Amino acid sequence: MVDHAAREAPDREIVTRWADGSETRTDWAGIRRDALKMAQALEALGIQKGDRVASLAMNHSRHLVSWYGVAGMGGVLHTINPRLFEDQLEYIVNHADDRVIFIDSNLVPLVEKMAGRFPGLTAYIVMAARENMPETSLPNVLCYEELLDGQPETYDWPELDERAASAMCYT
């Protein structure tokens, strides 16, 4: 789908308005480019087909990249509602067997408080620009932009079974 969007509407603008009032702008060509980089970055972290990758984030362009990058390489994006109670978040992340978690900057304090309760997580990816990366005590923390840096802009999407999971949500 992202290949189609990038081919048919490469310049169609996607605008994200962040909580601090700032804006970032991209387009479908940029989303595709970054999703290709994301797929490779996740594979470099050891994520394989069928592995769950959590996101504790709002809807924005980086979250859109994670959707296509995770699903495109065969992983399963697991969106988590940040409004849940801590014991619910702990249960959901552990029950889903999430390996990596994407988190918005404003949710870092919550995840820091709970980090020891997620034994299966191998990396924490803060969905921030370098200049907005918060100080954190999280183990194995990566900045979203740094994760994509140095990754090639080309990638051959693998052939996936059309019945394979690509996303999941707990309700």
Side-chain angles (χ1 to χ4, degrees), residues 1-3 9 14 20 37 40 44-46 59 62 66 79 98 104 110 126 134 144 154 160 167-169:
M1 288 183 353
V2 74
D3 288 345
I14 297 167
D20 67 4
K37 290 179 160 194
Q40 294 170 93
L45 290 175
N59 291 328
R62 293 181 184 128
S66 70
T79 58
D98 293 325
D104 275 343
L110 170 65
V126 179
Y144 171 89
T154 59
L160 302 170
M168 74 176 177
C169 300

Side-chain angles (χ1 to χ4, degrees), residues 121-132:
L121 290 178
T122 60
Y124 297 81
I125 302 167
V126 179
M127 296 180 107
R130 263 180 226 84
E131 64 272 10
N132 297 330

Side-chain angles (χ1 to χ4, degrees), residues 17 27 73 102 110 128 166-168:
R17 189 159 196 59
D27 53 33
M73 57 79 61
F102 289 103
L110 170 65
S166 63
M168 74 176 177

Side-chain angles (χ1 to χ4, degrees), residues 17-159:
R17 189 159 196 59
W18 300 96
D20 67 4
S22 65
E23 281 184 5
T24 55
R25 294 171 182 271
T26 188
D27 53 33
W28 280 110
I31 295 293
R32 179 183 183 273
R33 179 199 63 235
D34 289 349
L36 295 168
K37 290 179 160 194
M38 177 65 69
Q40 294 170 93
L42 291 169
E43 287 179 353
L45 290 175
I47 300 302
Q48 300 175 5
K49 289 181 184 178
D51 284 347
R52 269 78 60 214
V53 175
S55 69
L56 194 62
M58 297 299 150
N59 291 328
H60 45 67
S61 59
R62 293 181 184 128
H63 201 224
L64 186 58
V65 166
S66 70
W67 271 101
Y68 288 113
V70 172
M73 57 79 61
V76 180
L77 188 70
H78 173 209
T79 58
I80 305 171
N81 184 343
R83 295 173 188 90
L84 296 174
F85 295 110
E86 287 181 24
D87 60 329
Q88 294 169 321
L89 294 172
E90 177 183 6
Y91 173 81
I92 289 170
V93 168
N94 292 326
H95 186 263
D97 196 24
D98 293 325
R99 301 264 326 278
V100 170
I101 187 168
F102 289 103
I103 51 178
D104 275 343
S105 297
N106 63 321
L107 297 171
V108 166
L110 170 65
V111 177
E112 278 179 326
K113 195 166 55 168
M114 299 183 65
R117 296 159 59 180
F118 304 132
L121 290 178
T122 60
Y124 297 81
I125 302 167
V126 179
M127 296 180 107
R130 263 180 226 84
E131 64 272 10
N132 297 330
M133 186 67 177
E135 291 290 323
T136 179
S137 61
L138 288 171
N140 304 318
V141 67
L142 301 162
C143 171
Y144 171 89
E145 283 188 353
E146 291 170 353
L147 180 70
L148 299 185
D149 281 352
Q151 295 295 335
E153 295 183 10
T154 59
Y155 176 77
D156 291 326
W157 299 118
E159 287 293 322

